[in-house]
Short mmCIF file of all heavy atoms in Angstrom, two decimals:
data_model
loop_
_atom_site.label_atom_id
_atom_site.label_comp_id
_atom_site.label_asym_id
_atom_site.label_seq_id
_atom_site.Cartn_x
_atom_site.Cartn_y
_atom_site.Cartn_z
N ALA A 102 12.38 -13.61 -16.03
CA ALA A 102 13.39 -14.39 -15.23
C ALA A 102 14.47 -14.99 -16.15
O ALA A 102 15.63 -15.04 -15.79
CB ALA A 102 12.70 -15.50 -14.47
N GLN A 103 14.03 -15.40 -17.40
CA GLN A 103 15.00 -15.98 -18.35
C GLN A 103 15.92 -14.86 -18.89
O GLN A 103 17.10 -15.10 -19.07
CB GLN A 103 14.26 -16.66 -19.45
CG GLN A 103 13.51 -17.97 -19.01
CD GLN A 103 12.57 -18.39 -20.09
OE1 GLN A 103 12.17 -17.75 -20.99
NE2 GLN A 103 12.10 -19.69 -19.90
N MET A 104 15.31 -13.68 -19.13
CA MET A 104 16.12 -12.60 -19.70
C MET A 104 17.13 -12.03 -18.70
O MET A 104 18.18 -11.54 -19.09
CB MET A 104 15.18 -11.51 -20.22
CG MET A 104 14.41 -11.94 -21.41
SD MET A 104 13.15 -10.66 -21.91
CE MET A 104 14.24 -9.36 -22.51
N ILE A 105 16.81 -12.08 -17.39
CA ILE A 105 17.69 -11.54 -16.41
C ILE A 105 19.10 -12.18 -16.54
O ILE A 105 20.08 -11.52 -16.38
CB ILE A 105 17.10 -11.69 -14.96
CG1 ILE A 105 16.02 -10.69 -14.75
CG2 ILE A 105 18.15 -11.60 -13.90
CD1 ILE A 105 16.42 -9.26 -14.74
N SER A 106 19.05 -13.46 -16.77
CA SER A 106 20.40 -14.19 -16.88
C SER A 106 21.16 -13.73 -18.15
O SER A 106 22.32 -14.03 -18.28
CB SER A 106 20.18 -15.69 -16.88
OG SER A 106 19.42 -16.11 -18.00
N ALA A 107 20.44 -13.06 -19.05
CA ALA A 107 21.12 -12.65 -20.30
C ALA A 107 21.63 -11.17 -20.24
O ALA A 107 22.14 -10.67 -21.21
CB ALA A 107 20.14 -12.79 -21.42
N ILE A 108 21.48 -10.52 -19.07
CA ILE A 108 21.96 -9.16 -18.93
C ILE A 108 23.46 -9.13 -19.28
O ILE A 108 24.21 -9.91 -18.65
CB ILE A 108 21.72 -8.56 -17.53
CG1 ILE A 108 20.20 -8.29 -17.38
CG2 ILE A 108 22.50 -7.27 -17.31
CD1 ILE A 108 19.85 -7.84 -15.97
N SER A 109 23.91 -8.29 -20.11
CA SER A 109 25.31 -8.37 -20.57
C SER A 109 26.02 -7.10 -20.03
O SER A 109 25.88 -5.99 -20.59
CB SER A 109 25.37 -8.43 -22.07
OG SER A 109 26.70 -8.29 -22.48
N PRO A 110 26.86 -7.33 -19.01
CA PRO A 110 27.74 -6.21 -18.60
C PRO A 110 28.65 -5.78 -19.73
O PRO A 110 29.10 -4.61 -19.70
CB PRO A 110 28.49 -6.81 -17.40
CG PRO A 110 27.67 -7.96 -16.90
CD PRO A 110 27.04 -8.51 -18.18
N ASP A 111 28.92 -6.63 -20.68
CA ASP A 111 29.82 -6.28 -21.78
C ASP A 111 29.30 -5.09 -22.64
O ASP A 111 30.03 -4.34 -23.20
CB ASP A 111 30.14 -7.51 -22.69
CG ASP A 111 31.00 -8.53 -21.91
OD1 ASP A 111 31.73 -8.10 -21.03
OD2 ASP A 111 30.98 -9.75 -22.30
N ALA A 112 27.94 -5.10 -22.77
CA ALA A 112 27.32 -3.96 -23.47
C ALA A 112 27.63 -2.67 -22.83
O ALA A 112 27.89 -1.64 -23.45
CB ALA A 112 25.78 -4.21 -23.66
N ILE A 113 27.58 -2.63 -21.51
CA ILE A 113 27.89 -1.47 -20.77
C ILE A 113 29.39 -1.14 -20.91
O ILE A 113 29.78 0.04 -21.09
CB ILE A 113 27.56 -1.63 -19.26
CG1 ILE A 113 26.05 -1.81 -19.12
CG2 ILE A 113 28.07 -0.45 -18.41
CD1 ILE A 113 25.57 -2.20 -17.73
N ARG A 114 30.21 -2.12 -20.87
CA ARG A 114 31.65 -1.91 -21.06
C ARG A 114 31.91 -1.32 -22.43
O ARG A 114 32.79 -0.42 -22.56
CB ARG A 114 32.45 -3.23 -20.83
CG ARG A 114 32.40 -3.66 -19.38
CD ARG A 114 33.33 -4.82 -19.12
NE ARG A 114 33.29 -5.25 -17.76
CZ ARG A 114 32.53 -6.31 -17.26
NH1 ARG A 114 31.90 -7.06 -18.14
NH2 ARG A 114 32.57 -6.56 -15.97
N ARG A 115 31.32 -1.84 -23.48
CA ARG A 115 31.52 -1.35 -24.83
C ARG A 115 31.09 0.13 -24.85
O ARG A 115 31.77 0.91 -25.47
CB ARG A 115 30.78 -2.15 -25.79
CG ARG A 115 31.41 -3.47 -26.19
CD ARG A 115 30.78 -4.13 -27.41
NE ARG A 115 29.31 -4.38 -27.23
CZ ARG A 115 28.90 -5.49 -26.64
NH1 ARG A 115 29.69 -6.42 -26.19
NH2 ARG A 115 27.55 -5.63 -26.51
N ALA A 116 29.95 0.46 -24.31
CA ALA A 116 29.45 1.84 -24.34
C ALA A 116 30.45 2.77 -23.61
O ALA A 116 30.57 3.91 -23.99
CB ALA A 116 28.07 1.90 -23.64
#
Side-chain angles (χ1 to χ4, degrees):
Q103 293 167 343
M104 290 174 70
I105 285 294
S106 63
I108 289 176
S109 175
D111 290 336
I113 295 171
R114 290 186 182 104
R115 281 191 302 276

